[in-house]
Amino acid sequence: MRLRNITGSREVIAESRFVIQEEIQPQCPGTWKEIFRNDRPIHIEIGMGKGKFIHAMAKQNPHINYVGIEKYSSVLLRALQKMELEELPNLKFLRMDAEDITKVFGAGEVDRIYLNFSDPWPKDRHAKRRLPSREFLARYNIILKKGGKLEFKTDNRPLFDFAVEELEPAGWKAEVITYDLHADEKLVEGNVMTEYEEKFSSMGNPICKYIIYR
Ligand code: SAM
């Protein structure tokens, strides 16, 4: 997903009513109920890419508020185009690096976190940048409410093994672990495929998934 230089994407984002603009972000912690004008649960996808998953989830679950987070403007632009075609009141977007996630959500403000096909950062010295790393789990620990859950899917087995190994030192526990989601009749029920999931499962790659809590 390398669409970083689409001309005008920053300008489109700056004018989009679907995006919480960067200058507003510092005011967001503790105010998400006001942003959505209701007190429904808040689910976020970090590294949402072009937004297929979160748009479908928001459409299926109007009783839940969704926030899609993406670092790159040119990728976020694709998610905005989906919203232009089909606007959903329960879906907002943030263009930001998830390293700063605790600056936009207050303590316990998020009910569920989704990580889908996160970038693997294969070099050891980049392990801290992996979204399921213990460093990120510590950030999620702050914003996720008590009893909240985090779901992670990937076809990248080394990344998944790393993510599972990070759980204990970070103080999290697995409720569910599968190394072949699509072959598990029960777990796959209601599964919404992401862009990467469609691509890699069609190539025959098994999809790993965990659901974790602390
Ligand atoms: N979740 C989508 C899917 O499954 O189809 C996209 C997967 S893509 C491999 C990973 C996405 O995460 C990219 O769009 C990338 O820009 C975004 N990303 C990676 N690190 C991020 C970070 N620290 N903060 C926000 N987005 C990030």
Side-chain angles (χ1 to χ4, degrees):
M1 181 129 7
R2 290 292 171 259
L3 299 165
R4 288 176 198 175
N5 298 315
I6 293 180
T7 313
S9 56
R10 279 185 181 272
E11 289 75 9
V12 172
I13 287 163
E15 284 169 19
S16 173
R17 66 189 186 286
F18 308 130
V19 177
I20 309 297
Q21 299 298 331
E22 275 169 62
E23 59 277 15
I24 308 293
Q25 289 178 8
Q27 300 160 32
C28 287
T31 70
W32 283 94
K33 290 186 193 324
E34 289 159 39
I35 292 170
F36 282 107
R37 296 172 197 215
N38 61 54
D39 60 0
R40 293 175 187 151
I42 293 174
H43 292 192
I44 68 175
E45 185 188 8
I46 302 178
M48 67 159 183
K50 299 180 198 167
K52 176 181 179 290
F53 172 85
I54 201 159
H55 194 276
M57 292 291 280
K59 190 175 170 185
Q60 270 182 26
N61 303 293
H63 56 290
I64 295 171
N65 296 319
Y66 290 87
V67 183
I69 297 162
E70 171 54 48
K71 185 154 71 168
Y72 292 109
S73 304
S74 48
V75 185
L76 171 56
L77 185 65
R78 303 300 191 196
L80 298 183
Q81 288 166 345
K82 288 184 181 69
M83 276 286 263
E84 293 292 346
L85 290 175
E86 188 170 14
E87 194 172 331
L88 301 172
N90 59 329
L91 176 58
K92 303 274 181 212
F93 300 104
L94 291 165
R95 197 212 61 77
M96 62 174 289
D97 190 318
E99 273 188 20
D100 294 325
I101 197 84
T102 57
K103 296 180 187 162
V104 288
F105 293 99
E109 205 170 14
V110 173
D111 294 82
R112 190 166 287 239
I113 298 174
Y114 294 98
L115 306 177
N116 291 316
F117 296 78
S118 307
D119 292 338
W121 293 105
K123 291 184 180 142
D124 284 348
R125 70 173 191 276
H126 292 147
K128 286 182 186 175
R129 297 185 193 174
R130 298 173 192 153
L131 293 181
S133 67
R134 67 188 71 183
E135 287 80 7
F136 272 97
L137 289 174
R139 297 178 179 113
Y140 309 148
N141 189 38
I142 295 169
I143 64 168
L144 191 64
K145 81 164 190 196
K146 200 169 170 233
K149 293 184 182 160
L150 183 153
E151 301 193 12
F152 172 48
K153 291 193 279 191
T154 183
D155 70 319
N156 186 313
R157 185 63 190 266
L159 177 66
F160 191 70
D161 289 343
F162 164 84
V164 170
E165 282 163 20
E166 291 292 86
L167 297 181
E168 200 191 323
W172 292 66
K173 297 178 199 78
E175 178 184 274
V176 163
I177 296 186
T178 176
Y179 293 88
D180 194 351
L181 173 65
H182 294 186
D184 187 316
E185 244 175 67
K186 204 171 155 219
L187 287 180
V188 82
E189 207 182 299
N191 180 52
V192 170
M193 295 238 261
T194 78
E195 263 115 0
Y196 271 61
E197 186 171 357
E198 278 189 342
K199 181 174 165 192
F200 291 116
S201 61
S202 73
M203 289 162 61
N205 297 4
I207 307 301
C208 304
K209 175 174 178 173
Y210 71 36
I211 302 176
I212 60 169
Y213 65 100
R214 77 282 190 235

